[in-house]
Amino acid sequence: AVVEVFINKNAVCRYTTIQNWSDNVLNLVTKRAICQEKAIMEWIDGNIGSKLNMKYPATILAGEYSKGKCISIALAHKGVIHDAGAKMIHIAPHTRSSILAKSIAHDGGRADYRGDVKILKGATNSYAEVVCDTLLLDDKSVSRTIPYEIIENKSSFIKHEAKVTQLD
């Protein structure tokens, strides 16, 4: 599936997906949005089933003061791999992005976060925040955090926090 969204000046878009595929489905998704000046894009993404889920909604913050947000929730059980996250590309000044990834893995499931945040040279005074939390319900389940983060100017900031908690 391919989703492309264009958010004009001062507009707001929220795209919500809840997916529960059969455990034999390979779910490879391309989602991207381009935000103009003061536009806001919000991705809300829930993932329950599939054998392999690879999903990284992308937001290109092309307009000054534009904002991107992605909230990703995943539940992985035996035989399920969720490799999900988001991409935020800051092009314009004063842009803001937020990625929140929450996952639970049990019975040998795998829940990974893979993210890409770039604040380019012209995106001065920009800010990005990434928070990844995974709860492992047994010692057979696995979680990895694979961030790729670049800042090309000195007035911008990226905050990244990742936490894995394992229950006995």
Side-chain angles (χ1 to χ4, degrees), residues 10 13 21 23 25 31 38 66 77 83 86 92 127 151 158:
N10 298 318
C13 179
W21 297 104
D23 288 353
V25 170
K31 295 179 176 180
K38 297 181 183 175
S66 58
H77 56 274
D83 191 332
Y127 176 77
I151 301 176
I158 295 176

Side-chain angles (χ1 to χ4, degrees), residues 92-96 119 122-127 153-157:
H94 307 285
T95 52
R96 300 282 182 262
I119 299 179
T124 54
N125 300 305
S126 294
Y127 176 77
N153 68 67
K154 294 184 180 190
S155 64
S156 295
F157 185 75

Side-chain angles (χ1 to χ4, degrees), residues 55-123:
K55 192 185 301 180
Y56 325 100
T59 303
I60 300 168
L61 302 167
E64 195 168 5
Y65 295 100
S66 58
K67 296 179 183 177
K69 184 175 189 175
C70 182
I71 298 173
S72 176
I73 300 168
L75 177 62
H77 56 274
K78 183 177 182 179
V80 174
I81 299 171
H82 285 300
D83 191 332
K87 296 178 184 178
M88 297 289 178
I89 302 168
H90 297 249
I91 297 174
H94 307 285
T95 52
R96 300 282 182 262
S97 70
S98 168
I99 300 171
L100 176 63
K102 300 277 189 179
S103 58
I104 298 173
H106 68 97
D107 195 28
R110 191 170 104 195
D112 295 341
Y113 164 81
R114 186 183 310 265
D116 187 355
V117 178
K118 293 179 187 165
I119 299 179
L120 302 181
K121 188 174 183 175

Side-chain angles (χ1 to χ4, degrees), residues 30-68:
T30 300
K31 295 179 176 180
R32 59 184 160 250
I34 298 176
C35 291
Q36 299 304 318
E37 184 181 349
K38 297 181 183 175
I40 299 172
M41 179 66 205
E42 296 178 344
W43 300 101
I44 312 295
D45 197 46
N47 303 290
I48 301 169
S50 80
K51 180 175 184 174
L52 172 63
N53 178 49
M54 297 180 81
K55 192 185 301 180
Y56 325 100
T59 303
I60 300 168
L61 302 167
E64 195 168 5
Y65 295 100
S66 58
K67 296 179 183 177

